[in-house]
Amino acid sequence: MIVFDNVSLSFGRQEIFKNISLELRGGKIIGVTGANGAGKSTFLKLAGKILKPDSGEVNFPSEKKIAAVSPEMKIYEGLTAIENLKFFSDLRGKKMSAEKISELGNRVGLDLEIFGNTRAENFSTGMKQRLKFAILLSVDADIWLLDEPTANLDDAGREKFFNEIQAAKSEKIILLATNDRAEVEACDEIISLPIN
């Protein structure tokens, strides 16, 4: 569970959140929707303690691990797909076998037999998005922060993404910031911003 306890945040004179208190429980996909500029990405950053509120607290058990897919997530363009996967899993203290890497590629629809040794700088935006999702799956985190996760994916990639989050939701807290209709329909609960 992620707990927002009387959380407020402003950027300059613009108040984004004021005295928010809520509990986000696992076992479901929680969508965060709202107009552009309403604070969807900011909400996810607060939930993951990536951003500190001006007042109040965000809490979740300290042993819980977080992973994210967002437009801001950077992969290493000069590394191959396989090197990126190994690098990010190594950061989490996980060693991946060739079989595990191949399995991750299959799960996200990225053929690592063909593209595994291709540098990420040569990937299309959709392939980069698939690689980001494979990285998320590789670290086996407890909390997933997904910001417009199917952007640039084709229909097959979107289907694989939706299958994965549905399969994972019983064991994780999944927050999905979106205004995409298909992503919204995949959610079990919606938080609509601004929260009054």
Side-chain angles (χ1 to χ4, degrees), residues 82 85-86 89-90 94-104 112:
I82 290 173
L85 280 164
K86 286 182 175 178
S89 64
D90 284 351
K94 292 181 173 287
K95 297 291 181 192
M96 285 198 298
S97 66
E99 293 78 17
K100 177 67 175 174
I101 289 171
S102 179
E103 176 204 325
L104 286 168
L112 296 178

Side-chain angles (χ1 to χ4, degrees), residues 17-168:
F17 300 112
K18 183 176 180 181
N19 302 327
I20 294 176
S21 292
L22 47 82
E23 296 179 351
L24 308 173
R25 296 180 178 274
K28 56 190 169 184
I29 301 164
I30 302 170
V32 181
T33 66
N36 293 341
K40 298 184 295 294
S41 299
T42 301
F43 184 88
L44 263 60
K45 289 175 184 173
L46 285 168
K49 294 189 174 185
I50 299 163
L51 191 61
K52 187 174 169 39
D54 296 330
S55 61
E57 291 185 343
V58 177
N59 293 299
F60 53 81
S62 59
E63 74 276 7
K64 297 299 182 189
K65 292 181 257 177
I66 294 176
V69 171
S70 76
E72 297 169 352
M73 177 185 175
K74 300 297 182 200
I75 52 179
Y76 287 93
E77 299 276 335
L79 297 181
T80 67
I82 290 173
E83 289 168 343
N84 266 287
L85 280 164
K86 286 182 175 178
F87 175 79
F88 284 102
S89 64
D90 284 351
L91 280 180
R92 298 293 183 104
K94 292 181 173 287
K95 297 291 181 192
M96 285 198 298
S97 66
E99 293 78 17
K100 177 67 175 174
I101 289 171
S102 179
E103 176 204 325
L104 286 168
N106 290 337
R107 286 170 68 184
V108 301
L110 185 60
D111 189 339
L112 296 178
E113 291 286 321
I114 298 172
F115 298 110
N117 293 311
T118 301
R119 288 198 305 221
E121 65 190 357
N122 297 312
F123 279 10
S124 69
T125 53
M127 289 172 69
K128 288 177 182 177
Q129 195 71 359
R130 289 175 190 251
L131 179 56
K132 288 179 182 182
F133 195 49
I135 291 167
L136 172 106
L137 295 175
S138 75
V139 299
D140 194 29
D142 307 291
I143 298 170
W144 287 2
L145 306 176
L146 308 174
D147 193 349
E148 300 180 356
T150 65
N152 302 309
L153 289 180
D154 58 21
D155 289 344
R158 288 166 68 89
E159 183 178 357
K160 284 186 178 293
F161 167 80
F162 290 129
N163 289 341
E164 288 290 342
I165 63 171
Q166 290 296 336

Side-chain angles (χ1 to χ4, degrees), residues 173-187:
I173 298 174
I174 300 178
L175 299 181
L176 197 165
T178 188
N179 282 327
D180 179 272
R181 182 172 298 174
E183 291 179 355
V184 169
E185 288 174 358
C187 296

